[in-house]
Amino acid sequence: MRGERFIKSLNDGRTVWLGGNKVTHLDTHPAFRGTLLTIRNLFDTLDDPQLRDQVGYRIKGREAYAHSSFLVPYTPEQLAKRSQSFAFWSKQCNGMMSRLSDYARSFITGWYAARHELDRLEPGFAHKITAYYETARDNDLFLTTAIIDPQIDRSSGLDDNRIASRFLHVVKETSEGIVVRGAKMIATGAPYTHDFVIFSFLKLEQANRKHAHVLIVPANSAGLHIVCRQSYASDKAHDYPLSARYDEMDAVLFFDDVLIPWERVLMFGDADKVMALRANKTANALAFHQNVVRYVAKLEFITGVTFAVAEAIGVGGFLHIQEKLGELLTQIDTIKALVIASETQAQYDEHGVLVPELSYINTARNIGTKFYPRAVEILQQIGGGGFVQVPASIEDFYGTISELMSEYFEGAAVSAEKKVQLFKLAWDLVGSPLGSRHELYERFYAGDPVRGFANQYLTHDKESLTAPIWKLIKESAKRGAVNGS
């Protein structure tokens, strides 16, 4: 099965650090065991005859199936199939795992789809991306991105040598490839990815040649150190049902003179070309489309938990509670509508690829930075003091005071044990380290939210909105002159 092959493939000599210790067996380590089981089960859906058509597609001319994140959409049906696959995997993990490889895979698919356009920008690009796309597709490679530079001094830029020397840069060019040194953050899913898709989030200038690159870096590269944050995983699934399954882990990458072979160097040395690749509409739309489809599943999940809490404690009849629950439904419908709009108003690019309308996707990503934190706040407000009255463990129901537990923890519509289980689940969303990480993630995963809204303004066709205003003023002035007013 694919899932088992995926697990075994991680024993490839990669260097993963957690708490100052090198991790040697990811699959049995408590920080990764639960998450890898989740991913393994998701990979196995491509081998299940009853599920694989919901997740994947048959590769043309072959019997093999690939995940639909690798499907280049030339028809509305193919675009819908991509969306279906994102939704299926997201619902399987309640939207709580945002980097299930389908995001980074979509970047590769987008670059592959636009390969002829990009080859005019960088001769040889089409050959490199085609070879890698086919390798990743045919071998079920798990991919993730690492595009943010280390948070050292945000008031300084690449003109400051202490910053430039720590941001990922090329230190040597050889016949085999380029040697890079520096760091990247935040690589979500880093310990169990096969390859990292690396580029810069900075606005690069031509003088920044050493920092201008787009790379695909194997996770087991010599000199590459994957330094994990504190684990939020738990081995107590009955008390922390989300933390036990969905801690996808984030890491900082240290590149200690890592050799990147030329076939994995998609671009290097020209800031304008790198910026043009980064702005490629086909790739961005295909990748960001996955973001918002996944987000629907997450909003549906937290809304379902909040509804269940309201019912369990008997507050659903109060008007102010109904208002809050209704607000959660408007969040879901808003993001769903934007997904639908992006798909139904998709446009063909110059190569016949059906590209989701990026303006709706960007709107969903921007307002999403406010939606999820607000959803968490509503869950906190409705659960109230119930979150801090929950006993330390579900196991307390099986001890000497089990009868008292059952009497005093009873809910309005559920048994005491079910109510405590529900509040444990809700706490894992609003109060646990994993829950706090998710609120932070949804605020910032798309970049600076202020800049996100500003970019929508800067890139919008503003004249289409202002022209009718000036036309009305001009017509009013003429009418006033005719009437002598």
Side-chain angles (χ1 to χ4, degrees):
M1 297 288 280
R2 298 183 195 222
E4 190 59 34
R5 290 200 302 271
F6 163 71
I7 298 295
K8 290 180 179 179
S9 72
L10 301 180
N11 295 318
D12 59 1
R14 65 190 55 208
T15 303
V16 179
W17 298 93
L18 177 64
N21 299 309
K22 186 176 178 180
V23 179
T24 54
H25 297 286
L26 286 170
D27 56 330
T28 58
H29 194 288
F32 309 106
R33 186 171 51 225
T35 301
L36 287 175
L37 176 60
T38 299
I39 297 174
R40 186 183 75 180
N41 292 338
L42 292 174
F43 271 53
D44 283 344
T45 57
L46 281 163
D47 293 320
D48 187 332
Q50 295 182 330
L51 298 177
R52 64 189 181 190
D53 284 317
Q54 298 183 57
V55 184
Y57 70 104
R58 181 172 289 170
I59 302 172
K60 187 176 181 179
R62 298 168 55 184
E63 292 297 315
Y65 273 74
H67 190 276
S68 291
S69 55
F70 288 115
L71 178 61
V72 179
Y74 294 105
T75 67
E77 291 75 22
Q78 290 174 329
L79 182 57
K81 193 165 187 61
R82 286 179 57 86
S83 188
Q84 179 188 48
S85 72
F86 301 149
F88 186 86
W89 265 17
S90 294
K91 288 181 179 179
Q92 293 300 300
C93 58
N94 303 299
M96 296 295 291
M97 294 185 70
S98 56
R99 289 293 184 261
L100 285 170
S101 184
D102 38 5
Y103 172 71
R105 286 171 170 180
S106 292
F107 265 119
I108 297 300
T109 301
W111 291 338
Y112 169 74
R115 62 193 180 279
H116 299 300
E117 170 192 348
L118 295 170
D119 201 60
R120 294 195 297 268
L121 180 69
E122 175 76 2
F125 182 92
H127 173 75
K128 288 182 180 181
I129 198 63
T130 298
Y132 184 75
Y133 164 81
E134 292 176 351
T135 296
R137 179 196 65 190
D138 297 347
N139 292 280
D140 296 310
L141 294 189
F142 195 107
L143 312 178
T144 195
T145 58
I147 63 176
I148 306 299
D149 297 294
Q151 195 181 61
I152 297 172
D153 182 352
R154 291 297 193 228
S155 67
S156 296
L158 291 176
D159 55 342
D160 185 336
N161 186 61
R162 68 193 177 97
I163 300 297
S165 64
R166 298 183 212 182
F167 285 13
L168 189 64
H169 62 285
V170 175
V171 295
K172 185 188 300 184
E173 297 178 48
T174 73
S175 59
E176 297 177 81
I178 59 175
V179 177
V180 296
R181 184 185 302 162
K184 278 289 182 182
M185 60 178 261
I186 299 287
T188 301
Y192 37 81
T193 195
H194 291 116
D195 292 321
F196 294 99
V197 180
I198 305 286
F199 54 94
S200 179
F201 207 62
L202 288 173
K203 184 176 181 180
L204 299 170
E205 305 294 340
Q206 280 298 86
N208 308 134
R209 181 179 184 274
K210 293 182 178 180
H211 294 82
H213 48 246
V214 181
L215 314 172
I216 299 174
V217 181
N220 65 342
S221 297
L224 177 60
H225 298 269
I226 302 170
V227 183
C228 299
R229 60 156 166 77
Q230 177 184 348
S231 172
Y232 304 145
S234 173
D235 59 357
K236 295 182 178 180
H238 52 290
D239 287 324
Y240 296 95
L242 305 180
S243 299
R245 295 171 173 86
Y246 304 140
D247 184 18
E248 52 188 347
M249 185 53 77
D250 310 291
V252 177
L253 308 180
F254 295 165
F255 293 79
D256 187 17
D257 290 2
V258 177
L259 173 66
I260 314 298
W262 283 118
E263 63 268 21
R264 295 294 190 97
V265 181
L266 300 184
M267 285 187 181
F268 162 60
D270 191 311
D272 291 341
K273 291 181 180 181
V274 170
M275 295 297 289
L277 178 66
R278 199 180 88 184
N280 182 262
K281 184 176 180 180
T282 300
N284 286 341
L286 292 184
F288 297 163
H289 177 229
Q290 183 274 340
N291 287 167
V292 294
V293 173
R294 187 271 314 172
Y295 198 53
V296 170
K298 193 168 190 176
L299 292 178
E300 288 179 334
F301 179 61
I302 193 170
T303 297
V305 172
T306 308
F307 278 23
V309 167
E311 293 169 1
I313 60 177
V315 297
F318 297 112
L319 182 60
H320 70 287
I321 298 296
Q322 294 170 352
E323 178 205 17
K324 292 179 174 62
L325 299 178
E327 183 180 342
L328 294 178
L329 291 175
T330 66
Q331 288 189 349
I332 295 171
D333 284 348
T334 298
I335 302 298
K336 275 186 175 179
L338 289 166
V339 171
I340 293 169
S342 75
E343 295 171 0
T344 57
Q345 295 194 31
Q347 301 289 323
Y348 290 97
D349 70 8
E350 62 176 291
H351 304 291
V353 180
L354 189 59
V355 180
E357 175 51 52
L358 197 52
S359 64
Y360 297 116
I361 293 173
N362 286 335
T363 295
R365 279 158 52 91
N366 283 334
I367 63 176
T369 63
K370 299 178 183 293
F371 275 12
Y372 187 75
R374 173 58 179 157
V376 169
E377 181 182 34
I378 289 174
L379 178 53
Q380 291 172 330
Q381 290 172 334
I382 292 177
F387 289 119
V388 292
Q389 74 163 12
V390 174
S393 174
I394 295 295
E395 295 173 356
D396 291 346
F397 279 95
Y398 312 116
T400 57
I401 59 170
S402 59
E403 290 186 11
L404 294 173
M405 294 284 294
S406 297
E407 180 177 358
Y408 293 116
F409 278 106
E410 186 178 6
V414 295
S415 69
E417 187 171 356
K418 285 188 177 299
K419 177 186 169 187
V420 169
Q421 288 173 334
L422 173 62
F423 269 81
K424 287 281 187 183
L425 170 60
W427 179 254
D428 219 0
L429 276 175
V430 304
S432 71
L434 182 79
S436 297
R437 179 263 180 197
H438 272 270
E439 182 177 352
L440 187 69
Y441 178 87
E442 298 300 349
R443 287 183 187 272
F444 296 109
Y445 84 92
D448 177 4
V450 174
R451 188 175 297 277
F453 280 105
N455 283 341
Q456 277 198 280
Y457 164 74
L458 292 172
T459 58
H460 192 80
D461 176 16
K462 292 177 277 296
E463 188 177 354
S464 66
L465 297 174
T466 58
I469 307 304
W470 295 116
K471 181 181 178 182
L472 176 61
I473 290 172
K474 184 177 181 181
E475 290 175 350
S476 298
K478 286 182 178 179
R479 183 172 298 183
V482 170
N483 295 335
S485 59

mmCIF file of all heavy atoms in Angstrom, residues 349-363:
data_model
loop_
_atom_site.group_PDB
_atom_site.id
_atom_site.type_symbol
_atom_site.label_atom_id
_atom_site.label_comp_id
_atom_site.label_asym_id
_atom_site.label_seq_id
_atom_site.Cartn_x
_atom_site.Cartn_y
_atom_site.Cartn_z
ATOM 1 N N ASP A 349 -5.742 29.984 -19.728
ATOM 2 C CA ASP A 349 -4.529 30.732 -19.980
ATOM 3 C C ASP A 349 -4.091 30.505 -21.427
ATOM 4 O O ASP A 349 -4.779 29.840 -22.210
ATOM 5 C CB ASP A 349 -3.428 30.382 -18.974
ATOM 6 C CG ASP A 349 -2.861 28.972 -19.151
ATOM 7 O OD1 ASP A 349 -3.199 28.293 -20.138
ATOM 8 O OD2 ASP A 349 -2.047 28.547 -18.296
ATOM 9 N N GLU A 350 -2.955 31.030 -21.820
ATOM 10 C CA GLU A 350 -2.534 30.973 -23.222
ATOM 11 C C GLU A 350 -2.239 29.563 -23.701
ATOM 12 O O GLU A 350 -2.144 29.313 -24.918
ATOM 13 C CB GLU A 350 -1.301 31.850 -23.428
ATOM 14 C CG GLU A 350 -0.080 31.418 -22.636
ATOM 15 C CD GLU A 350 1.150 32.275 -22.949
ATOM 16 O OE1 GLU A 350 1.666 32.182 -24.072
ATOM 17 O OE2 GLU A 350 1.554 33.047 -22.051
ATOM 18 N N HIS A 351 -2.139 28.614 -22.764
ATOM 19 C CA HIS A 351 -1.847 27.233 -23.136
ATOM 20 C C HIS A 351 -3.056 26.322 -22.951
ATOM 21 O O HIS A 351 -2.921 25.099 -22.982
ATOM 22 C CB HIS A 351 -0.661 26.715 -22.323
ATOM 23 C CG HIS A 351 0.564 27.560 -22.471
ATOM 24 N ND1 HIS A 351 1.285 27.630 -23.643
ATOM 25 C CD2 HIS A 351 1.184 28.396 -21.598
ATOM 26 C CE1 HIS A 351 2.300 28.468 -23.491
ATOM 27 N NE2 HIS A 351 2.257 28.948 -22.262
ATOM 28 N N GLY A 352 -4.224 26.919 -22.709
ATOM 29 C CA GLY A 352 -5.442 26.127 -22.597
ATOM 30 C C GLY A 352 -5.708 25.547 -21.226
ATOM 31 O O GLY A 352 -6.615 24.722 -21.066
ATOM 32 N N VAL A 353 -4.933 25.950 -20.231
ATOM 33 C CA VAL A 353 -5.147 25.494 -18.859
ATOM 34 C C VAL A 353 -6.267 26.325 -18.239
ATOM 35 O O VAL A 353 -6.255 27.559 -18.330
ATOM 36 C CB VAL A 353 -3.867 25.619 -18.016
ATOM 37 C CG1 VAL A 353 -4.112 25.137 -16.583
ATOM 38 C CG2 VAL A 353 -2.733 24.830 -18.667
ATOM 39 N N LEU A 354 -7.232 25.655 -17.621
ATOM 40 C CA LEU A 354 -8.356 26.349 -16.995
ATOM 41 C C LEU A 354 -7.940 26.785 -15.595
ATOM 42 O O LEU A 354 -7.790 25.958 -14.683
ATOM 43 C CB LEU A 354 -9.584 25.442 -16.944
ATOM 44 C CG LEU A 354 -10.898 26.095 -16.519
ATOM 45 C CD1 LEU A 354 -11.266 27.241 -17.447
ATOM 46 C CD2 LEU A 354 -12.023 25.070 -16.480
ATOM 47 N N VAL A 355 -7.753 28.080 -15.424
ATOM 48 C CA VAL A 355 -7.165 28.637 -14.199
ATOM 49 C C VAL A 355 -8.262 29.274 -13.347
ATOM 50 O O VAL A 355 -8.994 30.154 -13.820
ATOM 51 C CB VAL A 355 -6.101 29.697 -14.551
ATOM 52 C CG1 VAL A 355 -5.494 30.286 -13.285
ATOM 53 C CG2 VAL A 355 -5.021 29.088 -15.436
ATOM 54 N N PRO A 356 -8.417 28.858 -12.086
ATOM 55 C CA PRO A 356 -9.411 29.491 -11.206
ATOM 56 C C PRO A 356 -9.183 30.998 -11.121
ATOM 57 O O PRO A 356 -8.033 31.460 -11.163
ATOM 58 C CB PRO A 356 -9.175 28.813 -9.853
ATOM 59 C CG PRO A 356 -8.483 27.535 -10.163
ATOM 60 C CD PRO A 356 -7.661 27.804 -11.395
ATOM 61 N N GLU A 357 -10.277 31.757 -10.982
ATOM 62 C CA GLU A 357 -10.180 33.211 -10.904
ATOM 63 C C GLU A 357 -9.502 33.606 -9.601
ATOM 64 O O GLU A 357 -10.040 33.398 -8.514
ATOM 65 C CB GLU A 357 -11.558 33.839 -11.016
ATOM 66 C CG GLU A 357 -11.595 35.341 -10.832
ATOM 67 C CD GLU A 357 -10.582 36.083 -11.704
ATOM 68 O OE1 GLU A 357 -10.556 35.845 -12.926
ATOM 69 O OE2 GLU A 357 -9.809 36.889 -11.140
ATOM 70 N N LEU A 358 -8.323 34.176 -9.729
ATOM 71 C CA LEU A 358 -7.471 34.427 -8.568
ATOM 72 C C LEU A 358 -8.027 35.514 -7.654
ATOM 73 O O LEU A 358 -7.758 35.501 -6.448
ATOM 74 C CB LEU A 358 -6.067 34.788 -9.039
ATOM 75 C CG LEU A 358 -4.920 34.716 -8.040
ATOM 76 C CD1 LEU A 358 -4.882 33.375 -7.334
ATOM 77 C CD2 LEU A 358 -3.590 34.979 -8.745
ATOM 78 N N SER A 359 -8.788 36.466 -8.188
ATOM 79 C CA SER A 359 -9.281 37.555 -7.337
ATOM 80 C C SER A 359 -10.184 37.020 -6.228
ATOM 81 O O SER A 359 -10.112 37.475 -5.079
ATOM 82 C CB SER A 359 -10.033 38.588 -8.187
ATOM 83 O OG SER A 359 -11.187 38.023 -8.776
ATOM 84 N N TYR A 360 -11.029 36.042 -6.545
ATOM 85 C CA TYR A 360 -11.904 35.466 -5.518
ATOM 86 C C TYR A 360 -11.104 34.650 -4.507
ATOM 87 O O TYR A 360 -11.410 34.644 -3.311
ATOM 88 C CB TYR A 360 -12.970 34.596 -6.173
ATOM 89 C CG TYR A 360 -13.907 35.353 -7.083
ATOM 90 C CD1 TYR A 360 -13.955 35.096 -8.447
ATOM 91 C CD2 TYR A 360 -14.742 36.357 -6.580
ATOM 92 C CE1 TYR A 360 -14.802 35.796 -9.285
ATOM 93 C CE2 TYR A 360 -15.592 37.064 -7.414
ATOM 94 C CZ TYR A 360 -15.617 36.777 -8.764
ATOM 95 O OH TYR A 360 -16.463 37.477 -9.592
ATOM 96 N N ILE A 361 -10.084 33.965 -5.009
ATOM 97 C CA ILE A 361 -9.241 33.176 -4.110
ATOM 98 C C ILE A 361 -8.497 34.099 -3.149
ATOM 99 O O ILE A 361 -8.412 33.826 -1.943
ATOM 100 C CB ILE A 361 -8.258 32.320 -4.928
ATOM 101 C CG1 ILE A 361 -9.020 31.247 -5.710
ATOM 102 C CG2 ILE A 361 -7.218 31.680 -4.019
ATOM 103 C CD1 ILE A 361 -8.160 30.465 -6.678
ATOM 104 N N ASN A 362 -7.953 35.188 -3.669
ATOM 105 C CA ASN A 362 -7.246 36.134 -2.799
ATOM 106 C C ASN A 362 -8.176 36.747 -1.768
ATOM 107 O O ASN A 362 -7.783 36.969 -0.607
ATOM 108 C CB ASN A 362 -6.600 37.231 -3.642
ATOM 109 C CG ASN A 362 -5.370 36.747 -4.382
ATOM 110 O OD1 ASN A 362 -4.729 35.784 -3.958
ATOM 111 N ND2 ASN A 362 -5.036 37.395 -5.481
ATOM 112 N N THR A 363 -9.412 37.036 -2.161
ATOM 113 C CA THR A 363 -10.386 37.558 -1.197
ATOM 114 C C THR A 363 -10.627 36.546 -0.088
ATOM 115 O O THR A 363 -10.652 36.894 1.101
ATOM 116 C CB THR A 363 -11.710 37.895 -1.906
ATOM 117 O OG1 THR A 363 -11.489 38.960 -2.827
ATOM 118 C CG2 THR A 363 -12.773 38.328 -0.899
#
